Amino acid sequence: MTKQELVTLAMEAMDHAYVPYSGYRVGAALLTRDGRVYQGCNIENASYTPTVCAERSAFFKAIYDGVRDFAEIAVVGGKDGVITGFFPPCGVCRQVMREFCEDDFLIHMGGADGEIKTVTLSELLPYSFSAKEHMQQDT
Ligand code: THU
């Protein structure tokens, strides 16, 4: 799967967003190492804090299915579903990625005019806290 194809699947996921409060539609497409794709969208709440981001909803679908081996994720977002620039994962989503992914996990951010910016998890979340490294336990 190319990064363009993964971004296209993230764009498709934007249509599923539930965003009556912010109007920002966000979509994610999470690629497993064995080639499966889990799509996710943001789901907002009248009480605001229960809102879940697109990236985490994709991860949680996969985790529920027993999948924990991830290679890449594509993320796109924009007001009313219009992509005007990159939509980088929030800090909470980065920490969830840290829980299940290695340093070389790829994050593709889709921007306007088909532009894609790719970074690794270690670039997005340097000096991170992880169970594997800091809690001396098998995860
Ligand atoms: N959002 C995401 O879905 N992913 C992120 O990484 C950043 C923010 C959502 C949450 C909320 O529904 C909307 O974008 C505006 O913050």
Side-chain angles (χ1 to χ4, degrees):
M1 163 135 343
T2 67
K3 59 184 179 181
Q4 285 83 5
E5 286 170 331
L6 205 58
V7 167
T8 299
L9 290 171
M11 290 168 72
E12 188 183 295
M14 291 169 81
D15 293 340
H16 298 250
Y18 174 75
V19 290
Y21 307 103
S22 78
Y24 280 87
R25 292 185 171 275
V26 188
L30 176 62
L31 180 66
T32 68
R33 285 198 194 275
D34 63 3
R36 282 178 279 180
V37 175
Y38 285 88
Q39 290 165 288
C41 63
N42 54 333
I43 303 165
E44 298 186 341
N45 189 280
S47 187
Y48 297 131
T49 49
T51 294
V52 68
C53 292
E55 298 92 318
R56 275 178 289 144
S57 73
F59 267 93
F60 296 159
K61 280 168 73 180
I63 301 301
Y64 179 85
D65 274 357
V67 179
R68 292 189 188 168
D69 212 4
F70 305 112
E72 306 174 20
I73 193 169
V75 187
V76 292
K79 184 80 174 167
D80 302 322
V82 179
I83 300 168
T84 56
F86 300 125
F87 215 86
C90 79
V92 174
C93 289
R94 294 177 195 203
Q95 186 65 29
V96 168
M97 291 174 193
R98 172 78 292 168
E99 187 71 22
F100 298 105
C101 305
E102 303 299 327
D103 281 346
D104 62 355
F105 178 71
L106 295 179
I107 297 104
H108 306 293
M109 292 171 280
D113 304 321
E115 197 183 350
I116 298 174
K117 178 155 185 67
T118 300
V119 293
T120 63
L121 179 56
S122 59
E123 287 170 325
L124 267 193
L125 196 65
Y127 300 103
S128 61
F129 178 80
S130 76
K132 243 180 235 170
E133 288 168 50
H134 305 111
M135 294 179 73
Q136 296 172 340
Q137 64 181 25
D138 293 329
T139 51

